[in-house]
Amino acid sequence: MSSTSPIILSIESSCDDTSAAVLKGKQLLSNVTADQKVHKAYGGVVPELASRAHQQNIIPVVEQALKLANINKDAIDAVAFTCGPGLLGSLLVGTSFAKSFAMARNIPLIEVNHMRGHILAHFIEDEHHLPKPSFPFLCLTVSGGHTQIVKVSSPSEFKIIGQTIDDAAGEAFDKIAKIIGLPYPGGPLIDKNAQEGNPKRFEFTHPKVGEFDYSFSGLKTGVLYFLQKEIKNNPDFIKENLADICASVQHNIVSILIKTYKKAAKAEGITQLAIAGGVSANSGLRKALKDLEVTNGYKTFIPPFSYCTDNAAMIGIAGYYKFLENDFAPYTISPKARLTINSL
Ligand code: KG4
Ligand code: ZN
């Protein structure tokens, strides 16, 4: 083993994706994810079904990741796993697997904070060869469970500058999609339908919150009341205006996200702006961030699609930085459903 290029097997199982990856140093060798179709029928993730599906998926997913990386089990130097935040039953499957694997092979175990993983995914080396941010930079992490602006001073120093006081941006996308009649997860479907729509056709209000904070629960209610009113006059209103509704909702969420992010960047005096998390796959958000390079002279960092939604590659890179610090976990460790980005 080279101490600066360890081979790390990483496991992610915090919500409804079972994922395993292999990295050699920062270099990604494989990243395999099994999503769980079982939740579609329920309009959201059902925790008990998620843990059962993780149990079914974990071994095949790890085997596939090792095979694609062309790595033998004996060559693995450490196992990194998501210890939180997330659904406890889901986290337990990945944690138990990682603990057993590390214990059986007598190799170090590394616990990784899922939210740090989303951000550190920007440092993965792969076929995209994208420029990397330098420290300090800001990251807007937008997922189904979180919306936060984080100042990243090093791979182990994270400070929350602002965050949502209620729903996360991904949750807003998914809940509004449900109101419109789109299946779960609705975020990508709003994005898809928005492509053909007019983003200025319908206007929704912006929330009033603390300077660097977000709020999305009012938007959800606003869209619901607006649609109820329109449907009274025209029962086919949603069907006939789907693209414009999706484009207008997306435009509203993206402009709220960007407006506050710009304010935070100005206040912190930081010009390197990254995005991370599932909603960073949104085409409107990616374009709006990129536009800031021209309008404000910021340098922006947008992850490849494969690292936006939950994946084990991001857990592997976060584990790599902890490996360099000899920051290992005991084999007796338990997952933590609630965990802030400052605490691990
Ligand atoms: O990071 P992630 O995979 O899981 C959490 O940690 O929450 O994020 C999932 C969220 C879901 O709410 C999903 O609807 C949203 O990311 N999402 C999108 C898009 N792709 C995924 N939202 C808007 N537009 C997209 N293209
Ligand atoms: Zn996530």
Side-chain angles (χ1 to χ4, degrees):
M1 184 227 319
S2 143
S3 60
T4 52
S5 291
I7 295 180
I8 296 181
L9 168 69
S10 53
I11 310 289
E12 153 64 29
S13 73
S14 64
C15 189
D16 60 343
D17 291 303
T18 320
S19 187
V22 180
L23 277 86
K24 185 173 187 345
K26 293 184 189 175
Q27 188 72 41
L28 183 69
L29 302 184
S30 66
N31 185 28
V32 176
T33 303
D35 59 4
Q36 303 179 354
K37 304 271 180 286
V38 65
H39 307 289
K40 268 212 161 75
Y42 301 92
V45 177
V46 183
E48 286 76 10
L49 297 180
S51 6
R52 201 176 309 159
H54 282 305
Q55 282 178 328
Q56 286 161 349
N57 292 341
I58 188 110
I59 292 182
V61 162
V62 170
E63 277 180 347
Q64 183 71 359
L66 292 173
K67 195 168 153 205
L68 289 178
N70 201 13
I71 288 289
N72 190 289
K73 283 191 200 77
D74 303 329
I76 295 168
D77 296 314
V79 184
F81 71 100
T82 304
C83 65
L87 300 170
L88 193 58
S90 291
L91 289 166
L92 266 168
V93 179
T95 306
S96 309
F97 180 90
K99 279 162 67 171
S100 318
F101 193 100
M103 218 187 289
R105 312 205 71 78
N106 197 24
I107 54 175
L109 183 65
I110 307 170
E111 56 173 338
V112 171
N113 182 319
H114 180 87
M115 302 312 294
R116 291 189 179 193
H118 271 301
I119 296 176
L120 294 172
H122 283 283
F123 295 94
I124 295 170
E125 278 169 15
D126 59 12
E127 75 280 9
H128 299 288
H129 302 294
L130 293 176
K132 316 283 181 236
S134 51
F135 298 103
F137 66 94
L138 289 187
C139 188
L140 172 64
T141 310
V142 267
S143 69
H146 293 83
T147 296
Q148 49 190 217
I149 299 171
V150 180
K151 179 178 174 181
V152 190
S153 300
S154 81
S156 58
E157 282 171 273
F158 299 79
K159 184 178 160 212
I160 296 175
I161 306 292
Q163 59 188 330
T164 183
I165 58 164
D166 44 51
D167 290 355
E171 206 176 346
F173 269 110
D174 295 341
K175 286 181 177 169
I176 293 170
K178 196 170 178 180
I179 295 170
I180 300 171
L182 298 171
Y184 177 86
L189 295 169
I190 291 199
D191 193 357
K192 190 164 166 234
N193 284 290
Q195 302 301 320
E196 308 295 320
N198 174 2
K200 304 265 169 75
R201 167 94 186 277
F202 305 115
E203 286 205 4
F204 304 106
T205 52
H206 280 215
K208 291 193 176 32
V209 277
E211 211 181 356
F212 307 128
D213 287 334
Y214 291 109
S215 165
F216 290 105
S217 65
L219 173 64
K220 176 191 62 195
T221 320
V223 172
L224 177 67
Y225 290 164
F226 164 75
L227 291 175
Q228 282 173 343
K229 201 174 106 223
E230 294 295 335
I231 288 168
K232 261 193 201 144
N233 302 327
N234 173 11
D236 290 330
F237 181 80
I238 295 180
K239 208 166 88 197
E240 287 168 10
N241 298 282
L242 186 63
D244 288 348
I245 296 169
C246 289
S248 301
V249 164
Q250 178 165 303
H251 175 71
N252 185 280
I253 295 177
V254 169
S255 52
I256 291 170
L257 288 172
I258 292 286
K259 192 169 144 198
T260 305
Y261 199 19
K262 268 166 62 179
K263 250 195 286 175
K266 198 166 170 212
E268 291 291 324
I270 293 183
T271 56
Q272 295 188 92
L273 306 186
I275 50 173
V279 181
S280 63
N282 183 268
S283 62
L285 180 60
R286 294 169 85 89
K287 182 176 179 310
L289 191 76
K290 192 84 199 148
D291 287 349
L292 295 183
E293 297 208 340
V294 181
T295 54
N296 294 59
Y298 291 129
K299 206 159 164 21
T300 67
F301 301 88
I302 298 168
F305 287 111
S306 50
Y307 309 143
C308 292
T309 43
D310 293 345
N311 66 89
M314 68 187 203
I315 304 306
I317 189 80
Y320 162 78
Y321 285 111
K322 292 187 105 180
F323 186 97
L324 294 185
E325 302 291 323
N326 286 322
D327 188 353
F328 302 131
Y331 291 155
T332 50
I333 189 117
S334 304
K336 301 150 187 80
R338 291 179 180 278
L339 190 64
T340 75
I341 198 155
N342 320 316
S343 57
L344 241 188

